[in-house]
Structures are given as C-alpha cells and as structure tokens.
C-alpha cells in the first residue's frame, strides 16, 4: 500500500515535472517563435538594402557632435536668401487671405506653375502648359522620386553617371529597377584640373544601353564635381537615348550656378529630346532657401501623368505658403530678367570669388582641388596630406570617410566623403577626395583658410 502510494506519488511528481517541462518548452518555443516572428516580420524590406544611414544623416549628426568651427559639408548657404524672397513668406504668413494657409491644387499651386511656365518656356523654346506639363514637388528629391517611381518597372535598367547624388540608387532599387553605373574619370592628373577634365568614356557608355534600359539620369551642373556638360557630351547622351528609346531624367537643380564662359544647356532643348526628357529644378537652389523644400519637374503631358500618379498618392500637395512665396519670388525675378540684378545671374557672380578663394586656400594647404565650372562644391584630392594625418583611430571602411572625420576633429573643417556618391563596386574611385561647399559667408571661408594653415603648421 505504502509502496504503491509512494510509487504513485513518484509517478505524479514525474508527470508534473514533465508537464512543467513541456509547458516551459512550449513557452520557450512560443517566445522564441514570437521573437523570431518579430525580428523577421518587421525587418526592413530587402529592396531597401542594409538600411545604412545616408551620408547626410550621418554627417549632419557629426556636425552636431563635433561642432566643427566651419561646416563645409552639407550644401546650403549660411547666409540670408534675397530679401524679397524671405519677405514674400513673411507677407504671406500675415496675409488676410485665409486660403493661403489651406491645401492648394495637388499638382502645383496655380500661381507657381504659371510662373514656372513663364520662366522655362523661353528657356526651352516651347510654351509649357502650366497645368499639364509642370509638377510642383516636395523638393527636387520628390521630383526625382515621382519621375523614377512613375516610370521604372521591375527589372528595368537605369543608367547612372558616377559620382551621383546618392538617392538615385535607392530610388531606382525602390522601384524594382537595376542601376547601371558609369564613372566620370579624370583625363589627367595634373594640377589646376577643372571639372571639364572629368569625362565619360563613349564606348563604355554605349555598351551600357540594352533592350532593358528604361532611363538615364543626368545631373548638370553636377554634384559633387561641378561639371557642366558640354553640347557635345549632351549630344552623345541624347543620341544614345534616342537610338535605344530611353527616357532622360535631367537633374538641373544647380542650373543658375554656372561660371563664365560655361553655359548651362538643357538637354530637353536638343533635337527630339523634349519627348523623352523630364527636367528637375529646386527652389532651394534657385533662391538659396534649401529649407523650403519646393522643387518641380517639367516634361510632356504623357510622361507627366506618370509622375502625377505617384505624387497624388504619396504627397498629394506641397505647402501652400512656400509655393506662393516661390511664385512671388519668380515674379520679381521675371520683372528684371534682362537686368544683371536678376538673382539668376547675380548668384553665380556672387559665388565666383568664393569658389576662387576656396580653390586657392585648398591648394595652398596641400589639397589638389578640381575647379568646378558650376554648382557650389569643390572636390579636392587630399592624398598629399596623407603623411600628416593618422587615420587609424577611425573605423570606417572607406578612406575618405576616415579622412573627413579625422580632419574635422583636428582642423575644425567638415567636408563630405565623395565615396557616398559611388556604387558599392566603384567606391574606391571616391576615396582620395573630399567635397567642400563654398556657398558660405566670406568670414567663414576666411576662417577655413586660418584653420587649414594652423592645422598644417601643427604637423
Ligand atoms: N539633386 C541634386 C543634384 C542635389 O544636389 C540636391 C540637393 N539639394 C537635390 C537633387 C535635392 O534638392 P531639394 O533640396 O530641392 O530636394
Ligand atoms: N544637395 C545637398 C548636398 O549635396 C544637400 C543634400 C541633403 O542634405 N540630402 O549637400
């Protein structure tokens, strides 16, 4: 009896223990499964890649952390936009018209698209239909997004010229497309190189066009090199686009920053290119108000319809007050379009001495800068300074990231690493360089000179 009760107790205990073990296992499995489900289910979709921080996110944080004495990194002016531009926004903010604070037309505020038509129609030699051939977007970023997402299908190939504004690659992949890269390469290694010395290889470019090619993205004036594509270079691109029935997205946000004797040529104006070109601009660059985030695209109505589909469902409409302010700013510039006072021309005049000053400063301090024909960036080879700087404390994969970070800490001058503007397979092409922005107050450029001299003297 006792023995059998004992056996029974033992059996019950064993059963209970195994029940507990089973429950624990189930719980563990459940927990593990739910942890696995959590991590798996909520991971970044594979089409976005590994999800690294963009160079902008990383370097704006660096600027906040290191507080370099001068920030020549991200491209924006550190001084005021023209008075009439900021005044327009101030007037709108206090206007009696309550509708200026409400949604406006989704594809572009009427007063703005009408003014964009007035600005661009004479420049492209055709009457732009403000309501069917122009789209106002959330910065040029969204114009690129709508142009790419509105046309690129799964498996389509898109030709991208390196170095390239970094979001092109992401947007193409986001649309299911395949970027095909070709790098601009320096013809020579001489001193006093200009951005015109960076060229495309004609054979290599031709070989990238296949029956899967949907689009080519052009950027002139170019970020970061400042290259202003010549008529011959644009003709080469245009002829290939026509031969292979390919669209051209032309990112022209720096259209007004071109230094004499160079001329900005809009590829949409070349023979039979209007039909296949989407041109992109930015109020941030045109009026030195990068924080307003107003951009636009113009193209034939049949292509525009595809951009509108993306825009109407992703953004719908851009802020009314800033669109109205950009419209009023264009009206003022249009009223003095033939005068040298027009901001479209005075901006480049204002920037030229800044460019020359920074080129000279960089040269005198051991860099080998490429003199830009347009835009507001200088790409400079830093490798002559390699002996003076110990990069071993920096962890980044690419030398230009290590250089720009260490240089910001030691010299107090922040620049951007150009390998961010290359595809993974070509990043080494950017590693010997740093990009400096020169749309900065003269006193900050003078301070840059002082800091570079002090750094060199300390070595
Ligand atoms: N394209 C290029 C070449 C740029 O440098 C930039 C940065 N301004 C953009 C597009 C995006 O412009 P936005 O600030 O108007 O979105
Ligand atoms: N276009 C600017 C540059 O190249 C800013 C880019 C950005 O902040 N995303 O520096």
């Amino acid at each position: 009896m006792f023995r059998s009760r004992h056996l029974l107790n033992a059996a019950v205990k064993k059963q209970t223990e195994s029940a507990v073990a089973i429950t624990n296992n189930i719980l563990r499995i459940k927990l593990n499964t739910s942890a696995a489900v959590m991590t798996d289910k909520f991971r970044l979709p594979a089409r976005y890649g590994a999800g690294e921080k963009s160079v902008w996110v990383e370097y704006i944080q660096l600027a906040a952390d290191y507080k370099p004495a001068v920030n020549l990194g991200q491209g924006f002016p550190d001084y005021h936009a023209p008075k009439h531009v900021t005044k327009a926004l101030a007037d709108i903010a206090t206007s009696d018209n309550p509708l200026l604070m409400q949604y406006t037309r989704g594809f572009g505020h009427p007063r703005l698209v009408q003014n964009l038509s007035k600005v661009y129609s004479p420049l492209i030699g055709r009457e732009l239909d403000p309501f069917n051939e122009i789209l106002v977007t959330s910065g040029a970023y969204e114009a690129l997004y709508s142009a790419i997402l509105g046309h690129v299908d799964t498996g389509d190939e898109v030709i991208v010229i390196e170095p390239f504004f970094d979001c092109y690659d992401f947007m193409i992949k986001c649309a299911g497309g395949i970027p095909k890269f070709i790098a601009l390469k320096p013809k020579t290694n001489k001193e006093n190189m200009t951005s015109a010395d960076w060229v495309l290889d004609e054979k290599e470019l031709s070989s990238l066009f296949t029956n899967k090619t949907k689009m080519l993205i052009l950027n002139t004036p170019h970020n970061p090199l400042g290259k202003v594509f010549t008529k011959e270079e644009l003709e080469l691109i245009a002829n290939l686009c026509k031969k292979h029935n390919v669209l051209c997205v032309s990112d022209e946000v720096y259209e007004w920053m071109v230094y004499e004797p160079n001329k900005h040529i809009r590829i949409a104006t070349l023979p039979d290119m209007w039909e296949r070109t989407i041109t992109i601009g930015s109020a941030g660059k045109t009026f030195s108000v990068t924080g307003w985030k107003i951009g636009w695209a113009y193209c034939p109505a049949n292509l525009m319809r595809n951009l509108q589909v993306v825009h109407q469902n992703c953004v719908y409409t851009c802020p009314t007050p800033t669109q109205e302010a950009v419209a009023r700013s264009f009206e003022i510039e249009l009223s003095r379009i033939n005068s040298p006072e027009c901001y479209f021309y005075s901006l480049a005049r204002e920037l030229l001495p800044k460019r020359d000053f920074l080129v000279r400063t960089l040269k005198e301090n051991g860099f080998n800068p490429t003199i830009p024909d347009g835009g507001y960036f200088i790409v400079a080879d830093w490798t002559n300074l390699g002996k003076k700087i110990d990069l071993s404390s920096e962890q980044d994969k690419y030398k230009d990231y290590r250089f720009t970070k260490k240089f910001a800490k030691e010299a107090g001058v922040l620049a951007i690493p150009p390998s961010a503007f290359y595809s993974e397979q070509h990043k080494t092409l950017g590693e010997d360089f740093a990009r400096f922005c020169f749309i900065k107050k003269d006193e900050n450029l003078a301070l840059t000179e002082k800091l570079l001299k002090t750094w060199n003297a300390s070595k």
Side-chain angles (χ1 to χ4, degrees), residues 372-384:
D373 290 328
Y376 49 50
F377 303 111
I378 298 169
V379 166
D381 187 324
W382 56 266
T383 50
N384 283 340

Side-chain angles (χ1 to χ4, degrees), residues 162-164 169 173 179-182 398 419-429:
E162 291 173 314
F164 60 87
D169 179 34
K173 290 178 183 151
K180 295 279 172 182
F181 299 100
I182 173 167
Y398 296 106
S419 66
F421 293 65
Y422 286 88
S423 60
E424 204 53 49
Q425 66 266 34
H426 293 158
K427 283 204 186 285
T428 57
L429 294 175

Side-chain angles (χ1 to χ4, degrees), residues 56 60 73-75 141 165-166 223 254 285 377 416 421 435:
W56 314 114
I60 289 159
Q74 193 189 22
Y141 260 100
F165 189 53
D166 60 323
N223 177 9
Y254 301 100
K285 309 291 158 182
F377 303 111
I416 292 289
F421 293 65
R435 189 198 81 172

Side-chain angles (χ1 to χ4, degrees), residues 261-276:
N262 301 283
K263 293 264 171 291
H264 175 57
I265 300 171
R266 294 173 173 79
I267 197 167
T269 63
L270 297 192
D272 302 320
M273 280 304 285
W274 165 250
E275 291 73 12
R276 59 182 68 256

Side-chain angles (χ1 to χ4, degrees), residues 257-322:
M257 295 150 209
V258 176
Y259 308 110
E260 297 281 351
N262 301 283
K263 293 264 171 291
H264 175 57
I265 300 171
R266 294 173 173 79
I267 197 167
T269 63
L270 297 192
D272 302 320
M273 280 304 285
W274 165 250
E275 291 73 12
R276 59 182 68 256
T277 302
I278 301 160
T279 308
I280 289 173
S282 166
K285 309 291 158 182
T286 301
F287 290 114
S288 297
V289 285
T290 61
W292 287 18
K293 290 299 294 181
I294 294 293
W296 49 82
Y298 59 87
C299 61
N302 64 314
L303 301 181
M304 183 51 81
R305 187 67 208 131
N306 302 330
L307 276 74
Q308 288 173 339
V309 170
V310 178
H311 175 86
Q312 73 190 357
N313 293 300
C314 292
V315 173
Y316 168 56
T317 191
C318 296
T320 312
T322 38

